Amino acid sequence: MLKTILALPADVYKNRRMVMKLAKNDFKTRYAGSYFGTFWAFVQPIVTILVYWFVFSVGFRSNTDSVGVPFVLYLVAGIVPWFFFQDSLIGGTNSLIEYNYLVKKVVFNISVLPVVKIISAIFVHGFFVLFTIILYMCYGRFPDLYYLQLIYYSFCVFVLVLGVCYATCSIVIFFRDLTQMINIGLQVGVWLTPIMWVAEDALKGHALLQKILQLNPMYYIVSGYRDSLIMKRWFFERPLWTLYFWLFAIGCFLLGNWIFRRLRVHFADVL
């Protein structure tokens, strides 16, 4: 098991220059041909945030008094890690199909391709973390030591989505409908994760339901971003939840890695 877990980091480190070069090229070429280029990578998430803010802060008038911050700050802290997860999952799932010409090369280590897509998504995520920090500063909330946890929780997303992507990028080659299923799952998941609503208020008196929803690993990560930015709580203050997340994430990684290794011999033939 340990050998399986360490094999990928070793491959990524060995090919680190190629991985970074491919990730930068992937980010640049994603919007190649459009007039504004990579500008669109930042516009769509910002527009989404503005729409959600208007609907839930002005239209439905969501109340975030219980957490002591304006709704826009509560929303951004939750939706930024979700954007990272969503972009990484969609990109990683289609990585082998998109780079099929590399998959067909016997000498190329295709196990790094999902990593390339996730690193490409990190570039956008880094911008939005900075955007979030500046937005909080505009409201008089300046960075402190708790903000360092954003690195930890970003790493949590990386590990979680990488394990999932190893499974999905392998299966989607043989079952292309998986892409549509993932898109539907993401549409449902964004509402099951407390991004636009305050879990402590909405689930008050429904302890069992809250426990069930907390099985969603993104619930842990979204709560972690808010712990870092709003609640000022360290991740080790939630020891059981943290342990559950890492058992889940490592389990996903091992399962995804196993599926990838079992199916990779057929990739070139199908593609």
Side-chain angles (χ1 to χ4, degrees), residues 19-20 23 26-27 30 42 80 83-85 87-88 114-130 151 154-159 161 225:
V19 169
M20 288 303 300
D26 180 88
F27 178 71
R30 193 185 310 179
F42 309 103
V80 165
F83 283 151
F84 180 29
F85 174 77
D87 291 347
S88 299
V115 181
V116 168
K117 282 293 186 179
I118 297 173
I119 292 178
S120 177
I122 286 178
F123 297 147
V124 179
H125 180 62
F127 167 81
F128 278 103
V129 169
L130 181 61
I151 300 174
S154 295
F155 180 70
C156 288
V157 180
F158 182 92
V159 175
V161 78
Y225 270 69

Side-chain angles (χ1 to χ4, degrees), residues 12 39 46 75 123 136 142 152 166 231 241 248 263 269:
V12 172
F39 178 70
I46 289 177
L75 171 65
F123 297 147
Y136 271 67
F142 295 91
Y152 162 73
Y166 269 119
M231 309 307 295
W241 205 5
F248 186 95
L263 298 179
D269 296 332

Side-chain angles (χ1 to χ4, degrees), residues 190-204:
V190 73
W191 295 105
L192 293 180
T193 308
I195 294 174
M196 272 76 73
W197 48 280
V198 182
E200 290 74 10
D201 295 340
L203 299 177
K204 188 177 295 183

